[in-house]
Amino acid sequence: MTTPDRSSVLLLRLAGPLQSWGDRSTFNRRETRPEPTKSGIVGLLAAAAGRSRHAALDDLAGLALGIRIDQPGSILRDYHTVSDYRGQPLLSAAVTAKGQQKPTSPAKHTHITQRFYLQDAVFLAAVEGPEGLITTLEHAVRHPAFPLALGRRSCVPAQPLSLGQRTGPLEDTLGAEPWQAAPAVRKRWGRQNGHAAHIDLPATLDDPAGDEVRDDVPLSFAPKGRTFTTRRTRHTYLQAPTGLTPDPARPRNTGGHDPFALLGW
């Protein structure tokens, strides 16, 4: 039995061949942020719960969010040209009084579009809220009503996606969870760092007093009325367990944070 006033944290491991977390995209150029957006996480949870695009999002948008970058991945650019196979001019965004799209003027036969993705990235997302809601969302993620995606429909998440619920402060929960990078990445990093027991990983946390403002909190996913509002965040580093056995013959460098450690330098 859950307690209404008690909070809980749901941990999500966001990994897959491709991810794309856009927040200021247009048709011709769809970019991605280097880490998941709140709108992307809320969209994933809403899809898992079977909510329509017109459903209210107040409870999901109100969840506290923390993102830990376990494996940053790299940028992939997908270049496209779009044309009409009949050789006709492409249509514009303008419409006639009857609601029909107007042809481009002057006539344009080819559109150039670019899509950007993160490849081979791994993130640990923590969402905190009332225990009852978090329990419902955990079940939904494990038994989703709609297909889930990492930002865009073509970006399918790898398993395991849900790592379960945790208790305690969100930031402490993110720091306590073992490093989720791919085995090859952890092995290579371990060889270069004496198989140290901990690694410092960058993280972004919701914080009303944070110094960065992000416009990625969804108010509505309605196709003709998508709206967003802002949130404040702060950046930090969390010391996470690596799951490795330290090499006593090569103690880890304790001279402070190594900004290149995650890159394997």
Side-chain angles (χ1 to χ4, degrees):
M1 182 176 180
T2 60
T3 303
D5 295 333
R6 182 178 177 184
S7 65
S8 184
V9 177
L10 174 62
L11 290 179
L12 302 174
R13 180 179 180 271
L14 307 175
L18 295 176
Q19 305 185 36
S20 187
W21 307 98
D23 61 352
R24 291 185 301 273
S25 296
T26 59
F27 176 78
N28 287 347
R29 186 179 178 90
R30 298 283 180 86
E31 298 182 350
T32 178
R33 290 191 65 91
E35 63 189 55
T37 59
K38 190 158 191 175
S39 60
I41 299 300
V42 170
L44 184 150
L45 295 174
R51 299 192 186 186
S52 74
R53 289 186 174 271
H54 296 276
L57 299 172
D58 297 14
D59 55 344
L60 300 183
L63 297 171
L65 175 65
I67 300 291
R68 193 181 78 184
I69 302 178
D70 285 31
Q71 187 173 314
S74 57
I75 292 289
L76 171 69
R77 185 185 72 153
D78 192 12
Y79 176 90
H80 291 270
T81 57
V82 181
S83 59
D84 190 309
Y85 72 95
R86 297 165 297 185
Q88 297 180 359
L90 296 172
L91 299 176
S92 69
V95 296
T96 66
K98 295 183 179 180
Q100 298 176 332
Q101 283 183 277
K102 297 178 180 180
T104 50
S105 180
K108 189 174 184 180
H109 290 79
T110 304
H111 272 311
I112 295 176
T113 72
Q114 301 179 72
R115 304 289 187 265
F116 292 85
Y117 300 87
L118 295 173
Q119 53 186 353
D120 299 325
V122 181
F123 305 100
L124 183 64
V127 289
E128 182 179 24
E131 185 180 17
L133 175 58
I134 294 298
T135 299
T136 299
L137 292 175
E138 180 190 8
H139 181 271
V141 170
R142 295 183 185 276
H143 306 87
F146 299 133
L148 304 183
L150 302 177
R152 296 188 64 197
R153 292 182 183 180
S154 60
C155 302
V156 180
Q159 294 295 333
L161 176 56
S162 172
L163 300 183
Q165 294 185 60
R166 305 289 189 271
T167 57
L170 184 148
E171 185 172 350
D172 294 345
T173 300
L174 269 180
E177 197 66 18
W179 190 19
Q180 298 296 313
V185 172
R186 289 188 282 116
K187 184 177 181 180
R188 181 171 63 250
W189 183 91
R191 288 198 305 265
Q192 297 171 347
N193 292 272
H195 295 86
H198 292 86
I199 181 174
D200 293 326
L201 298 173
T204 301
L205 309 169
D206 279 358
D207 187 341
D211 56 5
E212 181 180 1
V213 177
R214 295 192 176 185
D215 187 19
D216 66 350
V217 181
L219 298 178
S220 172
F221 285 136
K224 295 184 179 180
R226 291 171 61 93
T227 54
F228 300 86
T229 188
T230 60
R231 63 179 172 128
R232 285 189 172 273
T233 64
R234 66 180 171 89
H235 302 282
T236 186
Y237 280 85
L238 302 175
Q239 192 175 77
T242 62
L244 304 174
T245 302
D247 181 359
R250 186 182 175 187
R252 187 186 182 192
N253 178 16
T254 58
H257 168 66
D258 179 4
F260 299 108
L262 189 61
L263 301 176
W265 291 17

